Amino acid sequence: MKEEIIYNILICGAFGSAVFTILLFAIAFTGIADAIRNEEGKFIKKLNYKSVAGFSLFITFLFGLLLWGNARLENMLDAELNLYVLWLNSFGIFMVIHLYDLLIIDYLIVIKWRPKFFNLPETAYYTQFKPHVDGFIRGIPFGILVSLIVAIITT
């Protein structure tokens, strides 16, 4: 059963990472990213329709992916799974995408590659790795909570 869970986490995480990349490009090119973060990379506290749309899109994507990942695992094992296994599966999928975001999107693309078409400002958030690591660490409790909610829904 461990191998099936790991396999499911990796497959769903890889698929989710690909969809997440497409989602990020859509957010960047529609102007939603500018409505969510300022030049220092901090979230803007004032809500507007673009920031609400971006957050809603991200939450819908995350919940949908984790729900699909749990349903896929249950179908793969042909069994009803307990809360702990469903949470572990959900959190594993979340962490694959979270690590992908940190290492591939934030580090390789934003900091190292810095494509000109993104028009990124020369601030610490867009040139240094530390703010992204801090954000990664702050995102883990969010992933724990979302994964728990999804696991409760799927039990």
Side-chain angles (χ1 to χ4, degrees), residues 106-125:
D106 293 343
Y107 181 69
L108 290 178
I109 296 176
V110 171
I111 295 170
K112 288 295 181 188
W113 181 26
R114 297 189 55 74
K116 297 220 184 291
F117 59 86
F118 278 148
N119 198 23
L120 300 172
E122 292 291 327
T123 61
Y125 182 78

mmCIF file of all heavy atoms in Angstrom, residues 106-125:
data_model
loop_
_atom_site.group_PDB
_atom_site.id
_atom_site.type_symbol
_atom_site.label_atom_id
_atom_site.label_comp_id
_atom_site.label_asym_id
_atom_site.label_seq_id
_atom_site.Cartn_x
_atom_site.Cartn_y
_atom_site.Cartn_z
ATOM 1 N N ASP A 106 10.159 29.453 -8.335
ATOM 2 C CA ASP A 106 10.779 30.577 -7.624
ATOM 3 C C ASP A 106 12.289 30.650 -7.857
ATOM 4 O O ASP A 106 12.807 31.711 -8.207
ATOM 5 C CB ASP A 106 10.496 30.493 -6.113
ATOM 6 C CG ASP A 106 9.031 30.692 -5.782
ATOM 7 O OD1 ASP A 106 8.281 31.199 -6.633
ATOM 8 O OD2 ASP A 106 8.622 30.336 -4.660
ATOM 9 N N TYR A 107 12.987 29.551 -7.656
ATOM 10 C CA TYR A 107 14.441 29.611 -7.738
ATOM 11 C C TYR A 107 14.948 29.633 -9.189
ATOM 12 O O TYR A 107 15.627 30.562 -9.601
ATOM 13 C CB TYR A 107 15.082 28.459 -6.974
ATOM 14 C CG TYR A 107 16.592 28.503 -7.018
ATOM 15 C CD1 TYR A 107 17.294 29.486 -6.350
ATOM 16 C CD2 TYR A 107 17.306 27.579 -7.775
ATOM 17 C CE1 TYR A 107 18.680 29.560 -6.415
ATOM 18 C CE2 TYR A 107 18.693 27.639 -7.841
ATOM 19 C CZ TYR A 107 19.371 28.622 -7.155
ATOM 20 O OH TYR A 107 20.736 28.690 -7.229
ATOM 21 N N LEU A 108 14.614 28.602 -9.953
ATOM 22 C CA LEU A 108 15.175 28.507 -11.297
ATOM 23 C C LEU A 108 14.637 29.573 -12.254
ATOM 24 O O LEU A 108 15.402 30.185 -12.999
ATOM 25 C CB LEU A 108 14.954 27.108 -11.876
ATOM 26 C CG LEU A 108 15.771 25.987 -11.237
ATOM 27 C CD1 LEU A 108 15.424 24.656 -11.870
ATOM 28 C CD2 LEU A 108 17.263 26.260 -11.350
ATOM 29 N N ILE A 109 13.326 29.786 -12.238
ATOM 30 C CA ILE A 109 12.744 30.707 -13.217
ATOM 31 C C ILE A 109 12.824 32.155 -12.742
ATOM 32 O O ILE A 109 13.360 33.018 -13.438
ATOM 33 C CB ILE A 109 11.299 30.304 -13.574
ATOM 34 C CG1 ILE A 109 11.312 28.940 -14.270
ATOM 35 C CG2 ILE A 109 10.631 31.376 -14.443
ATOM 36 C CD1 ILE A 109 9.966 28.364 -14.594
ATOM 37 N N VAL A 110 12.297 32.434 -11.542
ATOM 38 C CA VAL A 110 12.221 33.826 -11.089
ATOM 39 C C VAL A 110 13.596 34.380 -10.733
ATOM 40 O O VAL A 110 13.949 35.486 -11.147
ATOM 41 C CB VAL A 110 11.248 33.955 -9.892
ATOM 42 C CG1 VAL A 110 11.317 35.336 -9.268
ATOM 43 C CG2 VAL A 110 9.825 33.645 -10.339
ATOM 44 N N ILE A 111 14.398 33.633 -9.986
ATOM 45 C CA ILE A 111 15.669 34.171 -9.498
ATOM 46 C C ILE A 111 16.809 33.960 -10.500
ATOM 47 O O ILE A 111 17.550 34.892 -10.808
ATOM 48 C CB ILE A 111 16.019 33.565 -8.122
ATOM 49 C CG1 ILE A 111 14.978 34.021 -7.103
ATOM 50 C CG2 ILE A 111 17.422 33.969 -7.684
ATOM 51 C CD1 ILE A 111 15.044 33.319 -5.776
ATOM 52 N N LYS A 112 16.966 32.772 -11.017
ATOM 53 C CA LYS A 112 18.101 32.490 -11.908
ATOM 54 C C LYS A 112 17.850 32.933 -13.349
ATOM 55 O O LYS A 112 18.655 33.629 -13.939
ATOM 56 C CB LYS A 112 18.450 30.993 -11.870
ATOM 57 C CG LYS A 112 19.094 30.565 -10.579
ATOM 58 C CD LYS A 112 20.433 31.235 -10.447
ATOM 59 C CE LYS A 112 21.112 30.811 -9.161
ATOM 60 N NZ LYS A 112 22.316 31.579 -8.909
ATOM 61 N N TRP A 113 16.758 32.482 -13.944
ATOM 62 C CA TRP A 113 16.504 32.756 -15.354
ATOM 63 C C TRP A 113 16.036 34.205 -15.565
ATOM 64 O O TRP A 113 16.515 34.885 -16.463
ATOM 65 C CB TRP A 113 15.494 31.758 -15.901
ATOM 66 C CG TRP A 113 15.166 31.903 -17.345
ATOM 67 C CD1 TRP A 113 15.955 32.443 -18.323
ATOM 68 C CD2 TRP A 113 13.961 31.512 -17.990
ATOM 69 N NE1 TRP A 113 15.309 32.410 -19.544
ATOM 70 C CE2 TRP A 113 14.084 31.831 -19.363
ATOM 71 C CE3 TRP A 113 12.798 30.913 -17.558
ATOM 72 C CZ2 TRP A 113 13.084 31.584 -20.278
ATOM 73 C CZ3 TRP A 113 11.809 30.645 -18.478
ATOM 74 C CH2 TRP A 113 11.955 30.979 -19.819
ATOM 75 N N ARG A 114 15.071 34.660 -14.780
ATOM 76 C CA ARG A 114 14.517 36.016 -14.841
ATOM 77 C C ARG A 114 14.128 36.409 -16.274
ATOM 78 O O ARG A 114 14.688 37.367 -16.844
ATOM 79 C CB ARG A 114 15.489 37.033 -14.271
ATOM 80 C CG ARG A 114 15.793 36.834 -12.814
ATOM 81 C CD ARG A 114 16.571 37.939 -12.181
ATOM 82 N NE ARG A 114 15.997 39.258 -12.312
ATOM 83 C CZ ARG A 114 14.940 39.701 -11.645
ATOM 84 N NH1 ARG A 114 14.316 38.906 -10.802
ATOM 85 N NH2 ARG A 114 14.503 40.926 -11.818
ATOM 86 N N PRO A 115 13.181 35.702 -16.880
ATOM 87 C CA PRO A 115 12.810 36.028 -18.258
ATOM 88 C C PRO A 115 12.298 37.469 -18.374
ATOM 89 O O PRO A 115 11.577 37.958 -17.515
ATOM 90 C CB PRO A 115 11.712 35.019 -18.587
ATOM 91 C CG PRO A 115 11.253 34.478 -17.295
ATOM 92 C CD PRO A 115 12.353 34.656 -16.312
ATOM 93 N N LYS A 116 12.704 38.135 -19.431
ATOM 94 C CA LYS A 116 12.355 39.544 -19.627
ATOM 95 C C LYS A 116 10.852 39.758 -19.784
ATOM 96 O O LYS A 116 10.328 40.794 -19.391
ATOM 97 C CB LYS A 116 13.100 40.083 -20.836
ATOM 98 C CG LYS A 116 14.599 40.054 -20.639
ATOM 99 C CD LYS A 116 15.243 41.289 -21.198
ATOM 100 C CE LYS A 116 16.733 41.233 -21.104
ATOM 101 N NZ LYS A 116 17.272 41.312 -19.786
ATOM 102 N N PHE A 117 10.144 38.774 -20.348
ATOM 103 C CA PHE A 117 8.716 38.960 -20.576
ATOM 104 C C PHE A 117 7.906 38.986 -19.284
ATOM 105 O O PHE A 117 6.758 39.405 -19.278
ATOM 106 C CB PHE A 117 8.153 37.907 -21.545
ATOM 107 C CG PHE A 117 8.315 36.480 -21.099
ATOM 108 C CD1 PHE A 117 7.384 35.878 -20.268
ATOM 109 C CD2 PHE A 117 9.398 35.732 -21.550
ATOM 110 C CE1 PHE A 117 7.532 34.549 -19.887
ATOM 111 C CE2 PHE A 117 9.549 34.405 -21.181
ATOM 112 C CZ PHE A 117 8.617 33.819 -20.342
ATOM 113 N N PHE A 118 8.506 38.571 -18.147
ATOM 114 C CA PHE A 118 7.822 38.689 -16.856
ATOM 115 C C PHE A 118 7.919 40.101 -16.290
ATOM 116 O O PHE A 118 7.142 40.474 -15.428
ATOM 117 C CB PHE A 118 8.394 37.712 -15.830
ATOM 118 C CG PHE A 118 7.859 36.321 -15.939
ATOM 119 C CD1 PHE A 118 8.666 35.254 -15.602
ATOM 120 C CD2 PHE A 118 6.578 36.054 -16.355
ATOM 121 C CE1 PHE A 118 8.195 33.956 -15.678
ATOM 122 C CE2 PHE A 118 6.092 34.773 -16.449
ATOM 123 C CZ PHE A 118 6.905 33.714 -16.117
ATOM 124 N N ASN A 119 8.911 40.865 -16.757
ATOM 125 C CA ASN A 119 9.099 42.236 -16.294
ATOM 126 C C ASN A 119 9.130 42.310 -14.761
ATOM 127 O O ASN A 119 8.385 43.063 -14.146
ATOM 128 C CB ASN A 119 7.991 43.135 -16.871
ATOM 129 C CG ASN A 119 8.359 44.591 -16.790
ATOM 130 O OD1 ASN A 119 9.541 44.933 -16.709
ATOM 131 N ND2 ASN A 119 7.358 45.453 -16.809
ATOM 132 N N LEU A 120 10.021 41.534 -14.159
ATOM 133 C CA LEU A 120 10.120 41.465 -12.702
ATOM 134 C C LEU A 120 10.951 42.619 -12.155
ATOM 135 O O LEU A 120 11.993 42.954 -12.705
ATOM 136 C CB LEU A 120 10.764 40.135 -12.284
ATOM 137 C CG LEU A 120 10.032 38.880 -12.719
ATOM 138 C CD1 LEU A 120 10.869 37.639 -12.408
ATOM 139 C CD2 LEU A 120 8.684 38.785 -12.043
ATOM 140 N N PRO A 121 10.494 43.215 -11.056
ATOM 141 C CA PRO A 121 11.274 44.306 -10.468
ATOM 142 C C PRO A 121 12.556 43.788 -9.815
ATOM 143 O O PRO A 121 12.670 42.614 -9.491
ATOM 144 C CB PRO A 121 10.326 44.898 -9.414
ATOM 145 C CG PRO A 121 9.328 43.842 -9.146
ATOM 146 C CD PRO A 121 9.252 42.968 -10.356
ATOM 147 N N GLU A 122 13.505 44.674 -9.610
ATOM 148 C CA GLU A 122 14.793 44.318 -8.992
ATOM 149 C C GLU A 122 14.721 44.458 -7.477
ATOM 150 O O GLU A 122 15.510 45.164 -6.868
ATOM 151 C CB GLU A 122 15.906 45.209 -9.560
ATOM 152 C CG GLU A 122 16.228 44.966 -11.004
ATOM 153 C CD GLU A 122 16.890 43.619 -11.241
ATOM 154 O OE1 GLU A 122 17.640 43.140 -10.375
ATOM 155 O OE2 GLU A 122 16.652 43.047 -12.316
ATOM 156 N N THR A 123 13.771 43.791 -6.856
ATOM 157 C CA THR A 123 13.640 43.839 -5.397
ATOM 158 C C THR A 123 14.144 42.520 -4.807
ATOM 159 O O THR A 123 14.351 41.541 -5.531
ATOM 160 C CB THR A 123 12.173 44.064 -4.983
ATOM 161 O OG1 THR A 123 11.388 42.972 -5.471
ATOM 162 C CG2 THR A 123 11.635 45.375 -5.547
ATOM 163 N N ALA A 124 14.323 42.503 -3.493
ATOM 164 C CA ALA A 124 14.845 41.311 -2.819
ATOM 165 C C ALA A 124 13.985 40.087 -3.101
ATOM 166 O O ALA A 124 14.501 38.984 -3.289
ATOM 167 C CB ALA A 124 14.941 41.560 -1.312
ATOM 168 N N TYR A 125 12.684 40.271 -3.154
ATOM 169 C CA TYR A 125 11.794 39.126 -3.363
ATOM 170 C C TYR A 125 12.047 38.447 -4.706
ATOM 171 O O TYR A 125 11.950 37.229 -4.828
ATOM 172 C CB TYR A 125 10.324 39.555 -3.271
ATOM 173 C CG TYR A 125 9.366 38.404 -3.421
ATOM 174 C CD1 TYR A 125 9.121 37.539 -2.366
ATOM 175 C CD2 TYR A 125 8.721 38.163 -4.628
ATOM 176 C CE1 TYR A 125 8.256 36.465 -2.504
ATOM 177 C CE2 TYR A 125 7.850 37.096 -4.773
ATOM 178 C CZ TYR A 125 7.622 36.251 -3.714
ATOM 179 O OH TYR A 125 6.777 35.190 -3.853
#
